[in-house]
Amino acid sequence: MTEPRVEHINITVQDSMKTAQMLAELFDWDIRWQGDAIYGGFSVHVGGKDSYVALYTHPERLEAGFDSYTSVNGFNHLGIVVDDLDGVEKKVLDAGYTPHSHGDYEPGKRFYFDDSQGLTIEVISYAPGSH
C-alpha cells in the first residue's frame, strides 16, 4: 500500500486569482480549475499533476482578523518543496518579494517570503548538497 499523501489544501485568500497566478509563475504550476464556490465565492485550483492548492475568495473579501499561531485551526504557512532553491529564490526576488528566515537544518534548506496579501510561503529543498 502506498503512503497516504495530501492531495490538496483549501485556504481563503483576498484574491484567489492573483494568488494562483503568483504561485503558477514562481513554481511552474498550472491553474487546474477555477469557478464559483460556496457562499457565493470564487475558487482557483493551482498546482501540479498530483497535488494542488485550492484558493478561495469570499465575495465580501474578508479581512484577516486573527493570529493564526494562536487560533485553533489557524493556517500558518504553505510549504513548497523544490529542487532548485536558489533558482526559486531568484524568481521570488524578481517578482518583488523579500525572502527571509533562511535556514539550513535537517532535513533541508529553506527560506520564507510573504506575498502581497499576507500569505506566508516556505520554500524548501531536500536536494543533495542543499546542506
Side-chain angles (χ1 to χ4, degrees), residues 68-128:
S68 64
Y69 282 94
T70 60
S71 300
V72 174
N73 297 327
F75 179 82
N76 300 315
H77 65 267
L78 178 63
I80 301 173
V81 177
V82 300
D83 288 332
D84 182 4
L85 191 67
D86 293 337
V88 172
E89 185 167 12
K90 182 178 180 338
K91 289 170 83 172
V92 167
L93 286 164
D94 290 347
Y97 304 110
T98 303
H100 61 86
S101 304
H102 291 77
D104 186 357
Y105 51 87
E106 289 296 329
K109 192 172 180 181
R110 67 205 68 235
F111 70 88
Y112 295 76
F113 72 96
D114 300 307
D115 81 350
S116 62
Q117 301 174 72
L119 176 64
T120 300
I121 299 170
E122 178 182 10
V123 184
I124 312 117
S125 177
Y126 301 125

Side-chain angles (χ1 to χ4, degrees), residues 28-46:
D28 297 322
W29 285 350
D30 295 311
I31 293 177
R32 297 169 39 144
W33 178 85
Q34 60 183 300
D36 295 334
I38 193 168
Y39 305 124
F42 185 77
S43 286
V44 181
H45 295 180
V46 60

Side-chain angles (χ1 to χ4, degrees), residues 7-8 16-17 19-34 43-55 80 91:
E7 189 237 4
H8 76 275
S16 53
M17 184 55 75
T19 302
Q21 289 170 336
M22 178 267 300
L23 291 171
E25 180 180 315
L26 294 178
F27 300 106
D28 297 322
W29 285 350
D30 295 311
I31 293 177
R32 297 169 39 144
W33 178 85
Q34 60 183 300
S43 286
V44 181
H45 295 180
V46 60
K49 65 181 180 79
D50 295 323
S51 65
Y52 64 95
V53 179
L55 302 162
I80 301 173
K91 289 170 83 172

